[in-house]
Amino acid sequence: MITFSKLLAAALAFLALPLFGPISSAYAQQSSEVKTGSTQVVKGRVLDADSKYPIPGAVISLVLQGSNIAKQSDDQGYFRLEGVPLGRQILRITSIGYGPRVIQNVLVTAGKEVVLDITMEEMVTQSATVEVVADNKNPRLAATEVKNEMSYVSGRGFNIEETMRYAGSRNDPSRMASNFAGVQINNDGRNDIIIRGNSPSGMLWRFEGLDIPNPSHFGAAGATGGPVSILNNNVLAKSDFFTGAFPAEFGNAYSGAFDLNMRQGNRDKYEFLGQVGFNGFEAGAEGPLGKNKKGSFLANYRYSTLGLVSKLGLNVGTGAAVPNYQDLTFKLSYDVGKSGRVEVFGMGGFSDIFFNGKEADTTSLYSGDRQDLTYRTSMGVVGANYIHFWSPKTYGKLTFGMSGNTVSAINDSLAGQDYSQKIKLYRDKTSTSRTSLRYNLSHKFSSQSTLNFGTMIDYQGFSFNDSVLTYLPATGVGVPRQTYMRPLRTSDGSTMLYQAYGQYQYKFSDRLTANAGLHIQNISLNNQVAIEPRIGARYLLDELSNISFGYGLHSQAQPLATYFRRTVAADGSAELTNKDLKFTQSHHLVLGYNRVFGSHTRLRTEAYLQELYNAPVEARPTSYSMLNYGADFNYPTGDSLQSTGRGRTFGIEATLERTFSNGYYFLITTSVYDSRYQGSDNVWRNTAFNSNWLVNVLGGYEVKLSKTFVLAFDTKVTTGGGRYYTPFDVTASTIARSGIQDDANAYGKRFEDYFRIDFKTTLRANVGRVTHEFFVDIQNITNRQNPFSKTWNIEKNRESTIPQLGLFPNVNYRVVF
């Protein structure tokens, strides 16, 4: 009999095949060329931070006692260090006219060569006296700085290693970002992220230069997250995450932005990856394209673990509700002459799940009261970049791509003693598509000034078709009420979103840098226009500290489904009453202070104010506001909306971070804030995402057991204020035997404070030319039942609390060779 343990053992044995022999002639040839398994290659490219042009002659050296490993970059900026010892290393990069760079915590393993893209900032004052302070972001903590040179506040760079290291992150960039100041996950079961008390729908996802829909499995249309991310952290390059006052090149968002980039595959050798864990069974490959090695490929495929096990006929303990999903991510890159590069990339996935109402646990996070639910989603993006250097100081990037997603939902209520009678409750068949064209041009006038500008055109197609069970008025005493499926949205069509931006940066000195920008956007659906100024500055107080400032006006169109919500009049006629809604807009103001202690520790504080306006609210006086959209799993349901709502968020954040050094790291983030909104009844209330305070404490320690084995321990403690919710009108709900909320007391009650501890243990082994990683990540180790929402239990005719996830063990094995 096949058991899950036998299947898992077989999978691990298959993934560990490289321990016992080569899997291909290419791998065998590469292995035979290696003299020892205790060192590895570190290579990459050195680029100018502003012009992105290669820097020849830069000296890249390994900072290690007794080591003389150092190389110069060639005329295309490429370098290659051989014989670098395994473990965590430090690199120092210097070049005439540029501020020095020190890159900490470069993880070197046996199974994969390290490939780095390194940027250097040109000094304004060509003098040895300013070498230490030449990089006014401070070179000592470059790993946490954003790649975008126009961002001075509310930005954080991250890499693959961070998404894997932190306890509780599940190899998910969204969950990893929840460790940063001012950010929290909407609930433990999904990865929607709340930034400074804003709706998760206010965030922008950008992937390889394209604005894309929600990159999550089981994600609702218009949402920004889901239970499992389609994004594969194994293929990501260093990327940026912004939480406010972001640069002018980002538009159609009012809370934050993810700017995600894929790394290039290895141009010199073939490398492979296998992985199995919570996120699925996964296989990856990368290597050179062509004999001249001017290009590379990178691809990863994943299939859900529970879905695969269930298809083999095994009981996975979830009843009929087995999550099935699969996804593919790829990138091809090829140099065109010495001045250009072509990239083709893609990402997509399919997912489905069925909840059986007969098996329903009415207190479950995902279950209703005896309801069947079949839910299917898909998401995909494919595109191409062409990067061309017109001169050493000017480059352009042309991007073309297509993306889209689909959602299908069939929801039935079960009736009868054996729950065999099905009553239609809700039907949904939604699809959106986007065809995008973008061009960006950057010119560096001198070491002091840089100009970037660009245009973006999105053709957005949509098809909305959803309906809900509706009761007709009673025709007499004792006469059963008739029902029908009332259409909510039945629209097919398209619209255009036009965006353009320009931003100029000037370095007054090596201490003072400032920029100004403008972003303009227009949606053809109702011809709304937004003109958004952005400004920022950063001043280096001394070689260890700086102050920064950022302001921006940010705008976002409403989810397309909102514009096509139908209002049905008494005579049965329907009208699209939301079609003329304006952009939701927000003023961001941020002040920051940064200080470095020693070589590895930084304190960062920010104070911010956000004023939102033009938020959709109902025409009649109510507490409804689209600023609360995303608090549950539902579509925005408001009709007859008008753009008169307001919101306000202000707070202060602090981050104390030690990058990985001497075997340990820590990250402590605190946020104190207040997030409120005003509906059409002109009453200021807490938003659904206001928790008032948040604290994250993360840390990790790594022990080198031998030349082969490394053992790591990571933990995370998260606590914060309970979020506000709208209570039920108990009397009215009891009489109606259905949940009726007390709108007059909207978000007037509060859940108890949130608390969770995660603990992760990782064993890493470098065996020959293979790296094995095995971790056990126990999330919510105390099994605390943090509340997620309130629901009205129809069977018991009373209010119930739906908890978030309890204790959740996540086991993962990864092999790279």
Side-chain angles (χ1 to χ4, degrees):
M1 178 180 177
I2 298 176
T3 64
F4 178 70
S5 60
K6 290 180 180 179
L7 180 69
L8 181 60
L12 295 180
F14 173 76
L15 292 174
L17 279 175
L19 278 170
F20 309 105
I23 69 167
S24 69
S25 60
Y27 178 70
Q29 181 179 354
Q30 291 166 178
S31 297
S32 65
E33 295 171 353
V34 179
K35 297 180 180 179
T36 175
S38 61
T39 64
Q40 186 55 278
V41 172
V42 176
K43 61 185 181 181
R45 203 176 193 188
V46 184
L47 305 172
D48 183 283
D50 296 312
S51 70
K52 303 300 184 289
Y53 198 76
I55 300 176
V59 177
I60 303 93
S61 55
L62 179 66
V63 181
L64 183 65
Q65 186 174 5
S67 171
N68 59 356
I69 298 176
K71 290 288 185 179
Q72 281 191 323
S73 58
D74 63 18
D75 60 350
Q76 291 298 306
Y78 289 106
F79 69 92
R80 181 183 178 91
L81 302 180
E82 297 183 349
V84 178
L86 304 185
R88 298 185 183 272
Q89 306 297 346
I90 301 173
L91 297 180
R92 179 177 173 84
I93 305 95
T94 58
S95 181
I96 297 174
Y98 288 85
R101 285 290 305 273
V102 176
I103 303 180
Q104 311 272 1
N105 191 36
V106 179
L107 181 59
V108 183
T109 62
K112 178 171 178 52
E113 294 183 344
V114 178
V115 184
L116 301 171
D117 282 333
I118 300 170
T119 58
M120 302 187 73
E121 188 168 343
E122 188 175 4
M123 294 186 295
V124 174
T125 306
Q126 302 296 316
S127 170
T129 59
V130 297
E131 182 178 354
V132 176
V133 297
D135 182 350
N136 64 9
K137 296 177 295 184
N138 197 302
R140 302 186 184 190
L141 289 175
T144 63
E145 296 293 348
V146 294
K147 291 176 59 180
N148 195 305
E149 293 294 319
M150 297 288 180
S151 175
Y152 306 149
V153 297
S154 301
R156 175 61 152 77
F158 64 93
N159 54 34
I160 296 177
E161 208 260 331
E162 286 182 288
T163 64
M164 297 179 180
R165 182 200 309 161
Y166 295 147
S169 292
R170 301 188 196 173
N171 296 341
D172 182 344
S174 294
R175 287 184 167 90
M176 180 275 304
S178 69
N179 298 308
F180 303 150
V183 184
Q184 64 182 131
I185 293 289
N186 191 15
N187 75 75
D188 293 343
R190 291 170 59 89
N191 61 9
D192 312 69
I193 53 178
I194 299 165
I195 300 173
R196 294 174 173 173
N198 287 288
S199 164
S201 66
M203 200 189 72
L204 171 72
W205 286 99
R206 179 166 291 177
F207 178 71
E208 284 290 317
L210 291 178
D211 296 350
I212 63 171
N214 176 14
S216 296
H217 290 294
F218 308 104
T224 59
V228 181
S229 177
I230 296 176
L231 289 167
N232 192 308
N233 67 322
N234 286 303
V235 302
L236 289 180
K238 183 175 179 181
S239 300
D240 290 341
F241 176 62
F242 303 99
T243 58
F246 31 93
E249 65 183 271
F250 300 97
N252 202 33
Y254 66 79
S255 68
F258 256 118
D259 186 15
L260 299 162
N261 295 283
M262 292 179 65
R263 61 184 179 86
Q264 296 185 42
N266 195 324
R267 293 187 172 211
D268 298 320
K269 60 176 290 190
Y270 295 99
E271 295 176 330
F272 305 93
L273 174 145
Q275 183 167 290
V276 59
F278 167 81
N279 287 340
F281 285 85
E282 181 177 334
E286 61 183 283
L289 284 177
K291 294 181 179 180
N292 56 11
K293 297 184 178 180
K294 289 187 176 181
S296 67
F297 75 91
L298 173 67
N300 272 67
Y301 174 77
R302 178 176 57 179
Y303 197 96
S304 72
T305 301
L306 296 182
L308 181 60
V309 172
S310 177
K311 288 183 183 300
L312 294 175
L314 301 177
N315 185 352
V316 297
T318 61
V322 178
N324 295 290
Y325 57 86
Q326 55 184 312
D327 50 65
L328 173 69
T329 309
F330 70 89
K331 182 175 183 178
L332 309 175
S333 179
Y334 199 84
D335 288 346
V336 181
K338 291 186 177 182
S339 301
R341 184 172 74 250
V342 174
E343 300 172 340
V344 179
F345 57 88
M347 171 180 65
F350 302 92
S351 52
D352 65 83
I353 193 168
F354 170 68
F355 293 99
N356 189 336
K358 293 182 180 180
E359 302 175 355
D361 173 4
T362 55
T363 64
S364 168
L365 178 59
Y366 299 105
S367 298
D369 291 287
R370 302 301 180 189
Q371 297 179 12
D372 279 355
L373 173 63
T374 301
Y375 193 68
R376 295 185 177 92
T377 67
S378 65
M379 177 270 171
V381 55
V382 61
N385 290 319
Y386 176 63
I387 300 102
H388 185 82
F389 287 92
W390 300 100
S391 73
K393 294 184 177 294
T394 306
Y395 78 95
K397 181 179 179 181
L398 178 67
T399 303
F400 174 78
M402 294 179 288
S403 61
N405 64 353
T406 65
V407 173
S408 172
I410 301 174
N411 188 200
D412 296 322
S413 179
L414 303 183
Q417 288 186 346
D418 59 353
Y419 303 109
S420 60
Q421 181 183 354
K422 291 188 177 183
I423 302 172
K424 291 182 180 179
L425 288 181
Y426 181 70
R427 295 291 186 270
D428 180 25
K429 191 173 183 180
T430 294
S431 65
T432 63
S433 63
R434 181 181 302 185
T435 303
S436 304
L437 181 65
R438 173 178 178 153
Y439 186 73
N440 304 310
L441 188 69
S442 176
H443 179 72
K444 181 177 179 179
F445 294 98
S446 67
S447 62
Q448 290 183 276
S449 61
T450 302
L451 174 66
N452 298 333
F453 60 91
T455 60
M456 293 157 277
I457 301 174
D458 288 338
Y459 172 84
Q460 301 181 0
F462 53 86
S463 176
F464 301 123
N465 188 357
D466 63 333
S467 56
V468 65
L469 177 69
T470 302
Y471 286 88
L472 293 171
T475 58
V477 178
V479 179
R481 296 174 65 184
Q482 299 296 310
T483 63
Y484 75 106
M485 295 299 290
R486 177 171 61 89
L488 297 176
R489 282 164 285 257
T490 54
S491 299
D492 297 272
S494 62
T495 186
M496 301 290 293
L497 180 65
Y498 303 95
Q499 299 180 75
Y501 76 91
Q503 49 191 4
Y504 177 74
Q505 177 174 266
Y506 189 79
K507 300 174 184 177
F508 294 91
S509 68
D510 289 310
R511 290 185 179 274
L512 177 62
T513 303
N515 69 38
L518 189 70
H519 185 279
I520 301 173
Q521 64 185 39
N522 164 255
I523 186 169
S524 65
L525 181 69
N526 54 20
N527 203 31
Q528 292 294 316
V529 178
I531 300 175
E532 308 164 2
R534 317 275 175 91
I535 57 174
R538 180 176 54 228
Y539 181 71
L540 190 65
L541 299 173
D542 53 46
E543 64 180 37
L544 297 177
S545 61
N546 66 50
I547 55 174
S548 54
F549 155 80
Y551 163 78
L553 175 61
H554 304 271
S555 308
Q556 185 184 53
Q558 310 308 325
L560 286 176
T562 302
Y563 292 109
F564 294 95
R565 182 72 159 81
R566 295 158 60 93
T567 300
V568 180
D571 60 1
S573 62
E575 182 181 358
L576 301 178
T577 55
N578 295 344
K579 199 168 183 179
D580 293 326
L581 290 173
K582 299 178 181 178
F583 293 120
T584 296
Q585 296 189 282
S586 175
H587 292 284
H588 289 210
L589 178 63
V590 183
L591 300 174
Y593 172 76
N594 291 268
R595 183 170 181 84
V596 172
F597 301 93
S599 299
H600 307 286
T601 306
R602 179 180 71 171
L603 172 66
R604 175 176 179 172
T605 60
E606 287 191 342
Y608 62 88
L609 171 66
Q610 187 180 358
E611 287 282 347
L612 299 102
Y613 60 101
N614 288 345
V617 295
E618 293 183 330
R620 59 190 179 92
T622 69
S623 62
Y624 178 89
S625 174
M626 279 286 289
L627 295 181
N628 294 312
Y629 174 48
D632 51 32
F633 302 146
N634 300 320
Y635 272 134
T637 56
D639 57 23
S640 301
L641 301 181
Q642 59 187 21
S643 298
T644 58
R646 297 174 59 196
R648 179 180 298 122
T649 299
F650 60 91
I652 186 168
E653 301 167 352
T655 299
L656 181 64
E657 180 173 14
R658 175 187 169 87
T659 59
F660 210 110
S661 178
N662 296 326
Y664 73 99
Y665 74 93
F666 61 77
L667 173 65
I668 303 172
T669 64
T670 61
S671 304
V672 179
Y673 69 99
D674 192 50
S675 176
R676 294 179 179 269
Y677 79 99
Q678 186 183 61
S680 55
D681 59 2
N682 293 323
V683 177
W684 282 94
R685 295 181 170 88
N686 295 289
T687 67
F689 312 105
N690 190 15
S691 64
N692 294 126
W693 61 276
L694 293 167
V695 177
N696 282 307
V697 180
L698 296 88
Y701 186 72
E702 195 171 271
V703 181
K704 188 174 182 179
L705 302 178
S706 67
K707 290 183 178 181
T708 300
F709 294 100
V710 175
L711 185 63
F713 304 95
D714 300 90
T715 189
K716 173 185 175 181
V717 179
T718 301
T719 184
R723 295 219 300 270
Y724 293 87
Y725 68 95
T726 302
F728 288 106
D729 184 326
V730 176
T731 301
S733 298
T734 302
I735 295 173
R737 299 192 65 85
S738 177
I740 299 175
Q741 291 185 316
D742 182 6
D743 185 70
N745 194 26
Y747 304 104
K749 283 197 172 184
R750 190 174 193 178
F751 291 117
E752 61 187 83
D753 292 347
Y754 181 95
F755 182 80
R756 171 176 151 176
I757 301 177
D758 302 329
F759 183 79
K760 179 180 178 182
T761 302
T762 303
L763 178 65
R764 183 168 62 248
N766 292 299
V767 182
R769 275 299 165 193
V770 182
T771 298
H772 302 265
E773 289 184 350
F774 179 82
F775 74 69
V776 178
D777 188 359
I778 304 177
Q779 299 168 24
N780 194 7
I781 196 169
T782 64
N783 197 31
R784 179 182 171 89
Q785 300 298 296
N786 290 299
F788 169 66
S789 67
K790 295 286 187 179
T791 187
W792 192 264
N793 189 313
I794 296 177
E795 291 185 342
K796 299 179 180 179
N797 200 27
R798 61 177 175 83
E799 182 183 77
S800 297
T801 300
I802 296 180
Q804 303 203 42
L805 292 181
L807 186 146
F808 180 78
N810 180 18
V811 181
N812 193 92
Y813 170 74
R814 181 173 182 260
V815 59
V816 181
F817 54 98

